[in-house]
Amino acid sequence: EAQVVESGGGLVQAGGSLRLSCTVSELPLEYYAIGWFRQAPGKNREGIICLSSSDGRTWYSDSMKDRTDSTKDRFTISRDNAKNTVYLQIDSLKPEDTAVYYCTAGRVPIYYYTDCLRDYQGQGTQVTVSS
């Protein structure tokens, strides 16, 4: 059975960094794009970014693109196809980054960030940023 599993969350002080991992099993990664979104307590989920495993293209969510602060620049997505893993690096963490972070997989073709959300979703990993 195909699965996407997140790891790497934890408690970190403001200003620190975390690298979250999304490991995919029983999925041909070259045919899927891997995305991330987050959901803070009492808030709607917020899309972040998606990465094509085959050619490295990325898509930001509309909400992330519309931000006027530097939030988008603090996220870096990368992949290690040999490990079937996609990483989300979050730098300069702030308390408002506290949320459960989820990864998703969407089968190609991918035209928009939301296409990355449609097929599989993990259980999430908690990120807590203390001030």
Side-chain angles (χ1 to χ4, degrees):
E1 182 180 343
Q3 282 188 315
V4 291
V5 179
E6 306 91 340
S7 61
L11 174 63
V12 64
Q13 286 191 328
S17 297
L18 273 178
R19 189 177 76 162
L20 309 182
S21 300
C22 176
T23 300
V24 177
S25 60
E26 304 299 327
L27 280 180
L29 200 59
E30 63 268 29
Y31 295 120
Y32 284 83
I34 304 298
W36 289 90
F37 71 89
R38 64 184 181 180
Q39 187 158 22
K43 293 188 177 181
N44 294 329
R45 73 181 190 184
E46 180 181 29
I48 304 173
I49 193 170
C50 177
L51 172 71
S52 166
S53 302
S54 60
D55 61 11
R57 283 185 298 164
T58 58
W59 298 264
Y60 283 99
S61 68
D62 287 345
S63 63
M64 199 56 61
K65 285 188 289 186
D66 290 343
R67 280 181 172 264
T68 57
D69 57 17
S70 61
T71 298
K72 185 182 74 170
D73 299 330
R74 297 191 291 109
F75 293 101
T76 304
I77 194 167
S78 61
R79 70 191 193 274
D80 185 337
N81 286 355
K83 296 182 178 180
N84 281 354
T85 299
V86 171
Y87 303 100
L88 182 69
Q89 174 84 18
I90 316 173
D91 296 319
S92 303
L93 280 156
K94 302 178 180 181
E96 51 263 43
D97 293 319
T98 295
V100 179
Y101 285 72
Y102 298 87
C103 76
T104 65
R107 188 174 174 90
V108 298
I110 304 294
Y111 300 110
Y112 307 102
Y113 165 82
T114 49
D115 294 334
C116 304
L117 310 179
R118 63 190 169 201
D119 293 308
Y120 299 94
Q121 178 181 315
Q123 294 298 309
T125 186
Q126 175 72 47
V127 172
T128 303
V129 184
S130 63
S131 57

